[in-house]
Amino acid sequence: MTMSIDILKTQIKNKDIKSLYLFYGLEEYLKKYYINSIEEIIIDKNLRTLNKVVLEDKVEVSKIIDNCETHPVFSERKLVVVKNAGLFKSGGKKEEIEKLADYLKDVPPFTCLIFYETDIDKRLRIYKTINKEGLAVEFPYQKPADLIKWVIKVVKTYKKEISMDTASILVERTGQEMTGILNEIEKLAAYTGERKVISIDDIKEVCNTSIKSRIFDLTGAIVAKDAAGTLKHMDDMITLREPIPMIIFMIARQFRQILEVKILIENGADLKEIASKLKVAPYIAGKIQKQSENFTTRWLNQTMQDIFECDLAIKTGKMKDKTALNLLIAKLLE
């Protein structure tokens, strides 16, 4: 991804927009951001309705080709976006997709064709053709450290300030999706009014909490042997219709991180090394380190085994998911 995104950034900076792109991955915000950046370069804003075509979902290959071949109106370039058309997954109309793959070798220079997808199969010829003839760019969820820097930058556009630790908490509480984080920043900007600095209390008061953050609160209650708090956090997640297998997965992930931190500390790692190894902000690494102090390595290893057995009992039908989760929580609170 790093190399292709760098190429894309250079092309946009130099206003050297090519004829063929594939944007794929989970991060919707970045895909839209770069499409908008290309659109601003190649099409005059007064002519966008005439020279931008968006084709969504199941679309005939002939329609894609026809739109690419049609000349722009009062403009040197036009933009054709083909969104989530299912052309990059196995099982589609093979002859049609092969026809499109052949066409992609010679997209007209006046057309900029961008495919917009989430999941793709890189084994397919159509992907390989774009990778050779154009530019395929993956947009995964961004790393926490990059998101924190981005939050600080975005907050400045609202003429506000946020510390790195507070930005870390915002990212941790709201999840990885940039659109979701941006929505929370907008809420914070409105909530703080004339006040310049966004605080941790503002985030707690205003922002939605992701399952990842709720799991951290849940493990915090388990650490404190707070049965009432543990059950409340668990019930909150179930009320919000978080799937129980996802809750168990996230509990496993959290305790795996705690175990990893415990082992790193035993081997003499400092906070900076721990943050780097876990790929989290130092503030978050510090919170996990503090939690790890409440457990022995042996207890954590046994906990991972208990979580595995809980998951297996659900998957094999030996136990209903809610019953298995309740028994797991009871074990963790012993």
Side-chain angles (χ1 to χ4, degrees):
M1 181 236 176
T2 303
M3 187 170 141
S4 59
I5 190 69
D6 288 344
I7 292 170
L8 178 62
K9 286 177 180 178
T10 299
Q11 289 179 357
I12 289 172
K13 182 181 178 181
N14 296 333
K15 298 185 178 180
D16 180 24
I17 306 303
K18 307 301 182 182
S19 291
L20 181 61
Y21 295 92
L22 166 62
F23 293 170
Y24 67 98
L26 294 170
E27 186 46 80
E28 296 292 314
Y29 175 86
L30 288 177
K31 287 185 285 188
K32 291 174 183 175
Y33 174 84
Y34 283 104
I35 286 177
N36 288 339
S37 297
I38 288 172
E39 182 179 322
E40 287 175 6
I41 292 168
I42 66 171
I43 309 174
D44 184 285
K45 64 181 179 181
N46 297 316
L47 298 171
R48 281 178 192 168
T49 54
L50 298 173
N51 293 301
K52 179 182 177 182
V53 178
V54 179
L55 306 171
E56 295 194 56
D57 300 324
K58 301 295 181 183
V59 55
E60 295 294 327
V61 165
S62 59
K63 191 171 183 180
I64 297 171
I65 295 173
D66 287 346
N67 276 283
C68 288
E69 289 293 313
T70 305
H71 281 71
V73 180
F74 306 122
S75 175
E76 291 184 4
R77 303 289 301 274
K78 68 180 294 187
L79 177 63
V80 178
V81 179
V82 181
K83 190 174 181 181
N84 299 322
L87 299 166
F88 295 85
K89 292 182 180 179
S90 302
K93 295 180 180 178
K94 192 171 181 181
E95 288 183 11
E96 287 290 290
I97 294 173
E98 288 298 310
K99 178 183 174 183
L100 180 59
D102 287 333
Y103 175 76
L104 296 181
K105 295 176 183 177
D106 196 24
V107 177
F110 55 75
T111 295
C112 175
L113 172 60
I114 303 177
F115 292 97
Y116 181 118
E117 297 284 339
T118 302
D119 299 317
I120 65 165
D121 187 341
K122 293 184 180 180
R123 297 170 298 177
L124 298 180
R125 180 177 167 233
I126 189 169
Y127 168 80
K128 292 175 182 177
T129 301
I130 293 177
N131 208 31
K132 180 181 177 183
E133 305 291 337
L135 185 65
V137 187
E138 182 181 7
F139 296 100
Y141 289 136
Q142 301 298 286
K143 295 176 183 177
D146 294 330
L147 288 173
I148 291 163
K149 291 176 187 175
W150 177 73
V151 165
I152 293 170
K153 185 178 177 181
V154 172
V155 165
K156 283 181 181 176
T157 66
Y158 287 88
K159 297 181 179 178
K160 303 279 184 182
E161 296 174 12
I162 188 169
S163 71
M164 186 168 285
D165 281 351
T166 306
S168 299
I169 292 168
L170 177 61
V171 170
E172 181 67 20
R173 285 181 71 91
T174 57
Q176 293 175 287
E177 293 183 8
M178 294 173 80
T179 301
I181 296 172
L182 186 60
N183 289 339
E184 299 305 321
I185 291 172
E186 289 174 356
K187 283 159 61 176
L188 286 164
Y191 177 76
T192 51
E194 297 296 316
R195 183 156 46 87
K196 268 199 163 188
V197 179
I198 293 173
S199 69
I200 294 171
D201 287 339
D202 295 329
I203 292 169
K204 289 179 180 177
E205 189 68 30
V206 173
C207 296
N208 293 327
T209 306
S210 69
I211 182 172
K212 186 177 175 183
S213 181
R214 291 180 188 278
I215 290 293
F216 209 103
D217 293 338
L218 175 66
T219 54
I222 291 168
V223 167
K225 298 298 180 183
D226 177 5
T230 299
L231 293 173
K232 180 184 181 302
H233 290 307
M234 191 175 72
D235 287 343
D236 285 347
M237 285 187 280
I238 292 171
T239 301
L240 290 167
R241 296 185 179 179
E242 295 288 0
I244 287 177
M246 175 58 74
I247 294 173
I248 294 169
F249 170 80
M250 293 300 288
I251 290 172
R253 178 183 178 276
Q254 186 65 26
F255 277 104
R256 191 180 299 112
Q257 282 191 327
I258 294 171
L259 176 58
E260 191 173 355
V261 167
K262 191 80 176 173
I263 293 168
L264 286 168
I265 291 169
E266 288 173 355
N267 286 286
D270 60 19
L271 189 61
K272 186 177 179 182
E273 290 174 283
I274 291 169
S276 175
K277 185 74 176 176
L278 268 61
K279 296 181 180 177
V280 298
Y283 173 82
I284 303 303
K287 286 181 71 174
I288 299 171
Q289 181 181 0
K290 192 171 181 182
Q291 284 191 340
S292 74
E293 293 169 0
N294 296 275
F295 305 107
T296 64
T297 304
R298 182 178 178 182
W299 187 92
L300 288 166
N301 279 316
Q302 181 58 51
T303 293
M304 295 308 301
Q305 181 62 31
D306 292 340
I307 294 170
F308 170 76
E309 289 174 3
C310 171
D311 184 56
L312 186 64
I314 294 169
K315 287 177 178 174
T316 55
K318 290 182 180 178
M319 221 178 281
K320 290 185 177 179
D321 55 7
K322 193 169 182 181
T323 303
L325 178 59
N326 285 332
L327 286 173
L328 173 64
I329 294 298
K331 274 190 177 182
L332 295 177
L333 287 170
E334 287 176 356

